[in-house]
Amino acid sequence: MGLIKEFKDFAFKGNVMDMAVGVIIGGAFTSVVAGVTEHILNPIIDMAMRRITVDEWMAGISGNVSDLIGAIITFLLTALVLFLIIKGINTAEAKAAALVHKEEEAPAPTTKVCPYCKSEIPVDATKCAHCTSDVA
């Protein structure tokens, strides 16, 4: 049972979760960068080097733009899903911590110490039962 708890503590630590999110977002962002390079920059470089003409570039731009928009939408959806997952995990952890904290709260004290004889008396007592002194 200890191994499972240790793994859970490791897997849900902030550093591990941040790294996992970074890797996933990085992978999704790579497709956006590849799309910009492949569909925007490379054709512009090809036109500058006169490998293709502006007319050829314009003829293929609709497919290029749709591929790039698809990569951007995929990136945004990936980021949204990750955000919702992490938000759910954080909410669950906060609720669990609140439950644990609630259980750990000490109950209100029911006794106090008499300032004169140092005996324990009820909190709402106005006279000490042991030394009959008035207590505030």
Side-chain angles (χ1 to χ4, degrees):
M1 197 59 133
L3 183 67
I4 294 172
K5 183 183 181 315
E6 286 179 33
F7 178 73
K8 186 183 86 163
D9 292 343
F10 167 77
F12 291 108
K13 273 187 182 174
N15 294 340
V16 174
M17 294 299 285
D18 291 344
M19 185 181 68
V21 168
V23 167
I24 294 169
I25 291 290
F29 191 68
T30 299
S31 65
V32 172
V33 172
V36 168
T37 303
E38 182 180 339
H39 302 299
I40 304 295
L41 296 178
N42 285 348
I44 291 172
I45 292 169
D46 287 344
M47 282 190 306
M49 299 182 81
R50 292 192 162 77
R51 287 189 220 159
I52 63 171
T53 64
V54 175
D55 293 333
E56 291 172 334
W57 182 65
M58 293 301 284
I61 197 148
S62 64
N64 293 344
V65 170
S66 65
D67 288 344
L68 179 60
I69 290 172
I72 291 170
I73 289 172
T74 300
F75 169 76
L76 293 174
L77 288 175
T78 302
L80 176 67
V81 168
L82 280 173
F83 170 75
L84 293 174
I85 289 171
I86 298 299
K87 184 175 172 73
I89 289 172
N90 289 342
T91 302
E93 284 179 350
K95 286 182 180 179
L99 286 175
V100 168
H101 181 68
K102 194 176 211 179
E103 291 173 1
E104 291 177 356
E105 278 183 18
T110 57
T111 61
K112 62 183 178 182
V113 175
C114 172
Y116 302 104
C117 69
K118 306 299 182 203
S119 301
E120 281 195 17
I121 57 174
V123 170
D124 56 351
T126 57
K127 270 200 181 288
C128 176
H130 303 281
C131 68
T132 67
S133 301
D134 291 330
V135 289

